[in-house]
Amino acid sequence: MEVRTRRASLHLTQHDLAQLAGVSERFVRFVEQGKPSVQLDSLLALLGTLGLELQLTTRTRTAALHDGTAAANLREQA
């Protein structure tokens, strides 16, 4: 919801933001709705237009181990 909140605080419509960022209104809607997969370059353009940035953090050991187990299970099923 950070994107929607920031857009609203700047008094921009989805159309305005799309034009400024060089993306489609549909893309703006997808991001605001939390679509699980979007193009990274378009997302970065959208965030940059809003003065936001994407940050990466180290995951907890528990989360990493859980994901590792899930990946191993998928490999076994293949």
Side-chain angles (χ1 to χ4, degrees):
M1 287 301 221
E2 180 78 25
V3 170
R4 181 179 293 147
T5 302
R6 179 67 174 158
R7 176 180 59 77
S9 75
L10 294 172
H11 307 288
L12 295 172
T13 65
Q14 288 180 339
H15 177 79
D16 294 336
L17 177 55
Q19 284 194 322
L20 290 168
V23 299
S24 68
E25 283 183 66
R26 184 175 184 214
F27 183 81
V28 174
R29 279 194 306 277
F30 283 163
V31 171
E32 289 187 356
Q33 293 169 356
K35 184 176 185 233
S37 63
V38 294
Q39 283 193 244
L40 183 58
D41 60 338
S42 297
L43 178 61
L44 293 175
L46 186 73
L47 295 176
T49 300
L50 293 171
L52 300 172
E53 65 183 12
L54 180 67
Q55 293 186 341
L56 303 177
T57 59
T58 303
R59 296 165 62 179
T60 64
R61 187 173 195 280
T62 303
L65 287 174
H66 174 71
D67 285 353
T69 301
N73 289 339
L74 288 174
R75 281 193 298 272
E76 288 176 10
Q77 292 175 3

